[in-house]
């Protein structure tokens, strides 16, 4: 039996989550220890499985409560899952709280944000699940979902649903804008894209946003675009494709010369120009796109953003308001200005902790398989308006079928861009160091009145490299 020595963790922004390995061994890649497809789980004594996850929005919470209860009913006398729910704030407090439990022991099954898979696998906080799940079971999952959950050629995590970023817009404002026959600066006609191949470029999106900004009087504006999100990693998630896949170098551990490269300066200037051209509100809130919604007879205020560059997880927010639910639509994530196309994706995943005893692992993976079954993926996707992790559901769910008119075909466009160019968020064992610091720099570029973009990116790159060096990643 092999033991891995304990390491320590850093906190908040650095969030370098080292962890000690469990006392139970990890089986070799080809050593199958689970149940075959169709084989029923049996046990002489009920097995208790602990599960931890962050609190979600209302729709997600309803799904989790119903689904975990259904599992416990279906497996009564065999497996009993106890759930713990933590708040995940803008400061990565959920990941911090998990890290702080390393010494005392981790829950058996953990729900974790996809980009942390490599970090937690590297540090031994989670163990592979490919010893317990058949290749047939895995064959229906989207390739990039498997990619996101894989580290060092071992599968550590599986998703139920995913997320991707779209350009959402209010149909009433977009239709009124298009009726003016607007043109880009090169004289070409502005129109909604018909496919991922004709998606607007980032520069075109900026130009449209500036044209759509309008005065509401009294020094107030309805901005053409809102790019607001959480302060932890949103900006790095949303805009990292602008680096063309070379944001941390070939070793995925070197920021200097990559994050602050010419591509980085281009991205920084792009964000600053969004503000300079009055295309965005630099102090926008996350509700600007639907702030005029009416819910439970409570009147909102005037809409502050005609478009919203955000993730599909926010669709449930739009749909809480009757007038917004009937007025939103979405077009594709923008192409890079050089024409290349990479769509950031990556949702939350289920993993097996190092402290899940060998005697519990088959039972714990049965819970993971239940949550990621076709029926569970479909119900979660339907109830939370999130793209499903399974390929087959894009053919069976009505909203994703080609020609669907649901929400004006918005879900079909989500499917099209995912199948065209879905890419996991930056994969690096140093994600905890990289993402918050890049996001901080990009947020400052947007919010500062006169930012020195090169200095912001140089400082971020240097700080990231120093933290990676201190963490002694190999």
């Amino acid at each position: 039996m092999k033991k891995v020595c304990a390491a320590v963790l850093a906190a908040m922004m650095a969030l370098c989550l080292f962890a000690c390995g469990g006392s139970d061994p990890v089986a070799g890649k080809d050593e199958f220890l689970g149940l075959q497809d169709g084989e029923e789980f049996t046990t002489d004594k009920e097995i208790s499985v602990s599960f931890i996850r962050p609190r979600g929005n209302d729709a997600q919470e309803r799904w989790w409560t119903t689904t975990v209860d259904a599992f416990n009913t279906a497996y009564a006398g065999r497996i009993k899952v106890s759930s713990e729910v933590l708040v995940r704030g803008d400061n990565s407090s959920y990941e911090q709280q998990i890290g702080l439990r390393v010494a005392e022991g981790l829950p058996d099954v953990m729900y974790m944000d996809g980009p942390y898979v490599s970090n937690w696998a590297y540090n031994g906080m989670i163990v592979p699940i490919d010893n317990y799940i058949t290749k047939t079971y895995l064959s229906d999952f989207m390739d990039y979902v498997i990619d996101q959950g894989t580290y060092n050629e071992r599968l550590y995590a599986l998703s139920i649903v995913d997320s991707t970023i779209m350009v959402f817009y209010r149909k009433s404002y977009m239709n009124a804008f298009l009726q003016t026959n607007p043109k880009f600066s090169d004289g070409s006609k502005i129109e909604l894209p018909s496919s991922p191949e004709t998606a607007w470029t980032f520069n075109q999106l900026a130009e449209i946003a500036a044209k759509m900004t309008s005065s509401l009087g009294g020094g107030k504006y309805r901005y053409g675009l809102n790019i607001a999100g959480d302060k932890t990693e949103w900006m790095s998630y949303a805009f990292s494709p602008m680096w063309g896949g070379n944001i941390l170098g070939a070793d995925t551990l070197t920021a200097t010369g990559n994050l602050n490269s010419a591509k980085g300066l281009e991205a920084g200037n792009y964000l600053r120009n969004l503000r300079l051209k009055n295309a965005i509100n630099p102090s926008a809130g996350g509700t600007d796109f639907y702030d005029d919604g009416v819910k439970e007879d409570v009147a909102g205020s005037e809409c502050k953003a005609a478009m919203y560059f955000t993730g599909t997880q926010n669709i449930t927010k739009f749909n809480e308001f009757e007038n917004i639910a009937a007025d939103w639509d979405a077009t594709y994530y923008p192409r890079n200005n050089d024409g290349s196309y990479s769509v950031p994706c990556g949702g939350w995943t289920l993993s097996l902790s190092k402290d899940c005893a060998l005697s519990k692992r088959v039972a714990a993976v049965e819970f993971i398989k239940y949550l990621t079954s076709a029926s569970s993926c479909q119900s979660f996707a339907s109830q939370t308006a999130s793209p499903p992790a399974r390929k087959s559901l894009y053919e069976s769910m009505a909203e994703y079928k080609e020609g669907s008119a649901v929400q004006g075909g918005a879900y079909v466009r989500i499917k099209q861009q995912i199948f065209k160019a879905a890419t996991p968020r930056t994969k690096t064992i140093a994600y905890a160091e990289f993402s918050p610091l890049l996001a901080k720099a990009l947020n400052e570029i947007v919010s500062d009145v006169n930012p020195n973009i090169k200095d912001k990116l140089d400082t971020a790159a240097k700080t990231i490299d120093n933290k990676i060096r201190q963490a002694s990643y190999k």
Side-chain angles (χ1 to χ4, degrees):
M1 190 180 297
K2 188 176 178 182
K3 292 188 177 181
V4 182
C5 293
V8 292
L9 56 124
M12 196 164 287
M13 294 308 293
L15 202 69
C16 179
L17 299 174
F18 283 98
C20 58
S23 59
D24 286 331
V26 173
K29 184 177 181 181
D30 298 319
E31 185 179 352
F32 189 73
L33 303 173
L35 300 177
Q36 295 296 336
D37 296 318
E39 186 178 355
E40 186 177 4
F41 178 84
T42 59
T43 179
D44 295 330
K45 183 180 180 181
E46 184 177 76
I47 297 174
S48 297
V49 173
S50 55
F51 173 49
I52 196 166
R53 65 174 179 84
R55 181 170 297 280
N57 60 37
D58 291 347
Q60 292 166 345
E61 285 301 303
R62 286 191 293 271
W63 186 87
W64 278 114
T65 300
T66 300
T67 305
V68 173
D69 286 349
F71 176 86
N72 282 332
T73 297
Y75 283 78
R78 295 182 290 163
I79 306 172
K80 173 70 173 178
V81 172
S82 58
S83 299
E84 182 180 0
V85 183
L86 301 178
V87 174
R88 183 182 191 253
D90 278 2
N91 60 355
S92 294
S93 60
Y94 174 74
E95 288 81 5
Q96 266 193 287
Q97 291 175 75
I98 297 292
L100 291 169
R101 296 185 183 202
V102 169
E104 65 186 61
L106 297 167
D108 299 315
V109 178
M110 301 193 294
Y111 199 43
M112 58 187 293
D113 202 1
Y116 286 96
V117 170
S118 294
N119 181 241
W120 290 14
Y122 170 86
N123 290 323
M125 294 180 69
I126 55 177
V127 296
I129 60 175
D130 50 14
N131 301 115
Y132 301 92
I133 301 179
T134 67
K135 292 180 180 179
T136 302
Y137 186 87
L138 297 175
S139 64
D140 190 36
F141 288 86
M142 298 288 288
D143 292 344
Y144 75 92
V145 169
I146 297 296
D147 183 14
Q148 175 185 248
T150 299
Y151 170 71
N152 201 20
E153 299 185 351
R154 297 295 302 272
L155 182 70
Y156 283 82
L158 268 185
S159 300
I160 309 168
V161 294
D162 204 70
S163 70
T164 189
I165 299 173
M166 304 283 287
V167 179
F168 294 89
Y169 60 87
R170 295 286 293 273
K171 290 187 287 187
S172 53
Y173 301 126
M174 181 61 72
N175 291 340
F177 172 69
L178 294 177
Q179 286 173 7
T180 67
N181 296 313
K183 297 184 184 299
F184 290 114
S185 57
D186 64 3
S188 60
K189 183 180 179 181
I190 296 176
E191 54 190 356
L192 289 167
S194 59
S195 68
E197 288 78 9
T198 61
W200 295 326
T201 64
F202 274 103
N203 283 346
Q204 288 175 328
L205 174 62
E207 195 170 344
I208 293 168
K211 291 178 182 294
M212 290 188 73
T213 296
S214 59
S215 174
L216 297 175
K220 298 180 180 179
Y221 292 89
R222 177 183 303 114
Y223 290 87
L225 183 67
N226 183 9
I227 61 171
D230 70 67
K231 302 302 181 185
T232 303
E233 63 146 0
W234 162 248
M235 294 292 277
S236 62
Y237 173 24
F239 293 101
S240 57
M242 296 186 78
W243 272 258
N246 191 29
I247 200 167
L248 281 177
D251 63 356
T252 71
L253 289 172
T254 305
T256 300
N258 298 298
L259 185 148
N260 56 343
S261 64
K263 287 283 189 183
L265 292 173
E266 181 182 340
N269 277 295
Y270 176 81
L271 292 171
R272 179 182 62 176
N273 287 334
L274 285 176
R275 176 176 180 171
L276 292 178
K277 294 177 180 179
N278 213 31
I280 63 167
N281 176 4
S283 57
T287 65
D288 284 12
F289 181 73
Y290 55 92
D291 195 49
D292 61 328
V294 179
K295 183 182 180 184
E296 297 176 353
D297 299 322
V298 177
S301 59
E302 187 74 36
C303 175
K304 300 184 184 73
M307 294 187 291
Y308 193 9
F309 189 58
T310 192
T312 48
Q313 70 275 7
N314 283 320
I315 290 176
T316 53
K317 285 289 186 183
F318 309 158
N319 289 340
E320 289 179 3
F321 303 95
E322 185 176 346
N323 60 323
I324 310 303
D327 195 38
W328 74 263
D329 205 334
T331 189
Y332 309 100
Y333 185 87
R335 289 177 292 132
N336 286 325
N337 296 321
D338 63 7
S340 60
Y341 197 51
S342 178
V343 176
C345 293
W348 284 70
T349 65
L350 294 152
S351 60
L352 200 62
S353 90
K354 69 180 182 65
D355 293 319
C356 182
L358 276 176
S359 59
K360 286 187 175 186
R361 289 183 183 177
V362 173
V365 173
E366 277 297 285
F367 179 54
I368 292 175
K369 286 162 61 179
Y370 185 91
L371 295 176
T372 58
S373 67
S375 59
S376 291
C377 288
Q378 179 168 347
S379 63
F380 202 159
S382 296
Q383 294 173 38
T384 64
S386 300
R390 286 175 168 268
K391 302 172 188 174
S392 60
L393 294 179
Y394 288 96
E395 301 303 322
S396 62
M397 295 179 67
E399 59 266 44
Y400 291 105
K401 290 183 177 180
E402 291 300 321
S404 169
V406 177
Q407 205 64 38
Y411 293 97
V412 176
R413 288 186 282 279
I414 292 171
K415 167 187 172 180
Q416 288 172 340
Q417 78 169 33
I418 285 175
F419 275 76
K420 175 68 177 179
T423 306
R425 280 175 277 179
T426 304
K427 285 191 69 174
T428 171
I429 57 177
Y431 191 82
E433 290 80 15
F434 152 74
S435 188
L437 287 168
L438 173 58
K440 179 177 182 290
L442 298 184
N443 275 311
E444 290 175 353
I445 287 170
V446 170
S447 61
D448 290 2
V449 175
N450 187 28
N452 183 322
I453 295 170
K454 185 177 185 303
D455 182 61
K456 295 285 186 188
L457 295 178
D458 286 347
T459 299
K462 181 178 179 180
T463 306
I464 290 169
D465 284 344
N466 285 339
K467 288 185 177 295
I468 289 174
R469 194 175 301 112
Q470 291 166 13
S472 299
Y473 287 121
K474 298 179 178 62

